[in-house]
Amino acid sequence: MRRHRRAKIVATVGPASNSPEMLKALFLAGVDTFRLNFSHGTHEDHAKVHAAIRALEKEVGRPIGILQDLQGPKIRVGTIKDGKITVAKGDTIRFVLKGQDGDRDAIPLPHPEIFAAVLPGHHLLIDDGRVRVKVTSLGDDSMTAEVVFGGVISNRKGVNLPGTLLNLSPLTAKDRADLEFGLNLGVDWVALSFVQKPSDMIEARGLIGDRAGLMAKIEKPQALEQIDDIIRLSDGIMVARGDLGVEIPQEEVPGRQKELVRACRLAVKPVIVATQMLDSMVSAPTPTRAEASDVATAIYDGADAVMLSAESASGAYPLEAVSMMDRIIGTTERHKLYHSLIRASDPAEEQTPPHAVAAAAADLAEAVRAPVIVAFTSSGTTAARIARKRPEVAILAITADQAVSRRLCLLWGTHSILSEDIHSYEQMVQVASTVSQSAEFAKLHDQIIVVAGIPFAQAGTTNNLRMLQIGA
């Protein structure tokens, strides 16, 4: 079941992929972590998928990650007379806090936090930016705006406010209920939508604790302004390019993606690049050349994982989409320029013993052409420190914690295996030799690199580096 590639694949589960048979097919085709999108489906639906994935995990004998993606607040206009109105550039329209069946003089916008925060000159983007208006004046429960880009405004269309910091929790009542349900199920990661500021992460962490990894979805420009603190408070990052591409100029998204990947590598946190990666495969059996290039770019950037959304959840070709993603990643990583481009974007290393040991392990493994680096880890941090170097050598993470082994399914280049706790140096050597052979990462007489923390089973103590020959 070994993957012969470094970057991981996340696939969203939906009507096209929620049967046990299809989940197994997608896993065999290359999925490392399944995403449960709580914007859709019932708790019962998600519980069935979760049970099927855990049964599959037991069948294949390999950890499989499960990511719960919370919906977050949804800002929408209310209902409009006749279902829609058409506005043109230069028109003046008016939004009101209360009301229904509105017209251009009273479009319902039932969100008091908007009226409390918006200022003249701020922009509202309606229906993913298809209609753009600029606020010109404010009343107590109303605002007047000038249409910048015209189009159709219809019932319940979404609204984005790229220049406005809203006093709004990222966790709605629905999210809190979904979160508790997901944590009780045993999800491995929780992705938090609508993150604007570091305190949003603190609020979520207070509810999650250490029951799952906390991932910040970067989709708001306000988050970019405090990104270092948000990354520090998270266990991982998702570059959610859909909403981000609505709220910042689209031409800035590729550069921001590179910045976020680099920042996460520096912070030793996994990063997922998401949204519309193979979007045409929702309805076609092959992607466009531009989409293939987009996936490859994320791999050249050094992303830990790339994600499929509608392609695997509701598309006509979920299996083909995963297989295509797998092939693009593998081909990109085998390209002669791949390692030189990855090296060119290496972040500076922290000057601490654990980081130095991990970096030395990566360098030593490449110098002696070892087939694998074996990392004994209780929290996953040792493996993450090695993965930050993006070595040309496979990383085999051995842990006694099943939750850690599943979370590592998102970490670049890392294959995780469950083992009993290690209590002695001799046992470490024996387990490293045995597991690296049984998992087909090395063979008799190979030189392998072993990294661990002593005392054993204590998080954060990456302090021991050993080169050993199997069978010596």
Side-chain angles (χ1 to χ4, degrees), residues 35-49:
R35 169 179 175 248
L36 307 184
N37 184 2
F38 274 68
S39 295
H40 306 285
T42 66
H43 283 185
E44 183 182 4
D45 295 333
H46 293 303
K48 289 179 180 178
V49 171

Side-chain angles (χ1 to χ4, degrees), residues 195-209:
V195 174
Q196 298 183 95
K197 52 193 183 298
S199 59
D200 293 338
M201 303 303 295
I202 295 172
E203 180 183 357
R205 179 69 74 188
L207 297 172
I208 296 170

Side-chain angles (χ1 to χ4, degrees), residues 134-172:
K134 182 173 72 174
V135 177
T136 55
S137 64
L138 298 169
D140 290 337
D141 291 330
S142 67
M143 71 176 78
T144 303
E146 179 185 352
V147 178
V148 179
F149 299 133
V152 176
I153 301 175
S154 54
N155 289 340
R156 310 296 300 164
K157 285 299 180 183
V159 179
N160 295 80
L161 294 96
T164 307
L165 178 63
L166 299 176
N167 185 18
L168 189 65
S169 168
L171 290 160
T172 65

Side-chain angles (χ1 to χ4, degrees), residues 241 275-284 286-288 291-295 307-311 320-326 328:
R241 304 178 305 173
T275 319
Q276 296 181 326
M277 301 216 78
L278 297 176
D279 193 54
S280 65
M281 292 193 74
V282 171
S283 56
T286 57
T288 66
E291 289 166 345
S293 180
D294 180 39
V295 175
M307 192 175 96
L308 296 167
S309 299
E311 302 96 326
E320 290 81 357
V322 171
S323 298
M324 177 57 68
M325 187 79 89
D326 181 77
I328 295 170

Side-chain angles (χ1 to χ4, degrees), residues 23-307:
L23 290 168
K24 181 176 181 178
L26 294 178
F27 170 78
L28 294 175
V31 174
D32 301 289
T33 296
F34 287 99
R35 169 179 175 248
L36 307 184
N37 184 2
F38 274 68
S39 295
H40 306 285
T42 66
H43 283 185
E44 183 182 4
D45 295 333
H46 293 303
K48 289 179 180 178
V49 171
H50 183 279
I53 294 170
R54 290 295 179 240
L56 172 62
E57 179 183 65
K58 187 174 181 180
E59 177 185 347
V60 298
R62 176 190 170 105
I64 302 173
I66 298 178
L67 168 67
Q68 177 186 25
D69 197 331
L70 300 176
Q71 176 176 284
K74 292 298 180 184
I75 299 174
R76 303 180 186 276
V77 297
T79 57
I80 297 170
K81 187 178 180 180
D82 299 325
K84 63 181 180 179
I85 57 173
T86 302
V87 297
K89 180 179 179 180
D91 284 355
T92 296
I93 59 177
R94 182 168 169 267
F95 295 92
V96 295
L97 178 59
K98 298 178 181 179
Q100 56 185 355
D101 294 332
D103 55 24
R104 67 180 54 234
D105 294 320
I107 300 172
L109 189 58
H111 298 279
E113 60 276 358
I114 293 179
F115 291 86
V118 76
L119 296 171
H122 285 191
H123 287 251
L124 278 68
L125 311 181
I126 303 168
D127 193 12
D128 287 338
R130 292 178 176 85
V131 176
R132 186 184 190 108
V133 304
K134 182 173 72 174
V135 177
T136 55
S137 64
L138 298 169
D140 290 337
D141 291 330
S142 67
M143 71 176 78
T144 303
E146 179 185 352
V147 178
V148 179
F149 299 133
V152 176
I153 301 175
S154 54
N155 289 340
R156 310 296 300 164
K157 285 299 180 183
V159 179
N160 295 80
L161 294 96
T164 307
L165 178 63
L166 299 176
N167 185 18
L168 189 65
S169 168
L171 290 160
T172 65
K174 168 181 162 50
D175 294 323
R176 290 171 182 270
D178 289 345
L179 175 59
E180 187 59 28
F181 177 78
L183 293 174
N184 288 334
L185 271 184
V187 298
D188 306 301
W189 289 91
V190 175
L192 185 65
S193 299
F194 211 85
V195 174
Q196 298 183 95
K197 52 193 183 298
S199 59
D200 293 338
M201 303 303 295
I202 295 172
E203 180 183 357
R205 179 69 74 188
L207 297 172
I208 296 170
D210 60 358
R211 298 168 68 187
L214 174 58
M215 179 169 292
K217 293 174 65 177
I218 306 303
E219 53 193 354
K220 305 287 292 181
Q222 291 80 12
L224 295 172
E225 297 170 6
Q226 303 183 73
I227 192 60
D228 289 338
D229 287 334
I230 289 172
I231 291 175
R232 178 175 55 82
L233 293 165
S234 74
D235 297 310
I237 291 292
M238 182 189 295
V239 188
R241 304 178 305 173
D243 282 324
L244 187 62
V246 171
E247 299 217 3
I248 68 173
Q250 292 194 11
E251 62 271 20
E252 293 184 11
V253 174
R256 292 293 194 174
Q257 174 177 309
K258 285 178 164 55
E259 291 173 11
L260 290 166
V261 172
R262 183 179 175 83
C264 287
R265 284 183 64 188
L266 178 62
V268 198
K269 306 285 178 72
V271 55
I272 302 173
V273 175
T275 319
Q276 296 181 326
M277 301 216 78
L278 297 176
D279 193 54
S280 65
M281 292 193 74
V282 171
S283 56
T286 57
T288 66
R289 278 61 169 179
E291 289 166 345
S293 180
D294 180 39
V295 175
T297 295
I299 304 308
Y300 283 126
D301 288 346
D304 290 83
V306 286
M307 192 175 96

